[in-house]
Amino acid sequence: MLDLERYEVRPPQLGVILPGQVHHWEGVRGLEGSLALFTPEFLVGGPDDEELLRRLGERPWVDLDAAGHERTARLMGDLAEEYRHGADGFAGVLRSLLHVLLVRTVRLPGGGGGGSTGGDLPPPRGLAESSCASPVPPGPPGSPYGSAPSGSG
């Protein structure tokens, strides 16, 4: 039950519970799975992340097919491993993996998006600019990005 709405638990599924929502497991026994708890502040890096959370809250319980289950289980395993090891930079890696998990969840049929395309989420910032037809300006001499044009300096 999530905010007084009942959802049948039929693994494999992915559930999203947002802050302030009330949930209760009723009559469920013998289930195994993974859980990722995080605050919105941990994830949110911009308006796209806030929109992701809002859309996931609209359809919080998603059935997974075999491929979706495998992909989700792999990501959850990566999240758990990164958290356990706690190596330098692990918080950024956790944020990135969590973002991937949420974007892929929105893409799922019934996941708050439009299926495989992710619905009407805007293209990632920087992608449109980097895919333009004009060449990338050359870098400084000795740079792996090319050499500076003659007369510059």
Side-chain angles (χ1 to χ4, degrees):
M1 183 176 293
L2 181 61
D3 282 351
L4 303 178
E5 188 170 340
R6 292 182 185 276
Y7 294 93
E8 184 179 347
V9 178
R10 296 180 317 268
Q13 292 175 313
L14 184 66
V16 177
I17 302 170
L18 299 177
Q21 289 184 309
V22 177
H23 63 283
H24 170 71
W25 299 96
E26 194 172 286
V28 177
R29 289 185 168 56
L31 288 180
E32 292 184 23
S34 300
L35 179 66
L37 297 173
F38 63 93
T39 64
E41 297 79 20
F42 180 77
L43 170 70
V44 175
D48 294 348
D49 292 334
E50 291 175 15
E51 175 67 8
L52 266 177
L53 290 174
R54 184 194 65 74
R55 289 179 59 189
L56 287 169
E58 291 174 358
R59 181 75 162 82
W61 221 250
V62 181
D63 293 322
L64 299 172
D65 63 13
H69 178 242
E70 184 175 327
R71 198 169 34 251
T72 301
R74 196 169 44 246
L75 265 171
M76 293 297 287
D78 289 347
L79 279 161
E81 180 181 347
E82 191 65 34
Y83 183 78
R84 272 193 307 273
H85 291 298
D88 288 344
F90 82 102
V93 173
L94 288 174
R95 259 186 213 94
S96 297
L97 290 171
L98 186 58
H99 183 80
V100 169
L101 177 65
L102 297 179
V103 169
R104 287 184 177 171
T105 302
V106 166
R107 289 178 180 171
L108 292 169
S116 63
T117 64
D120 58 357
L121 283 178
R125 286 184 293 268
L127 183 61
E129 294 86 349
S130 66
S131 63
C132 64
S134 62
V136 175
S143 159
Y145 306 107
S147 59
S150 60
S152 67

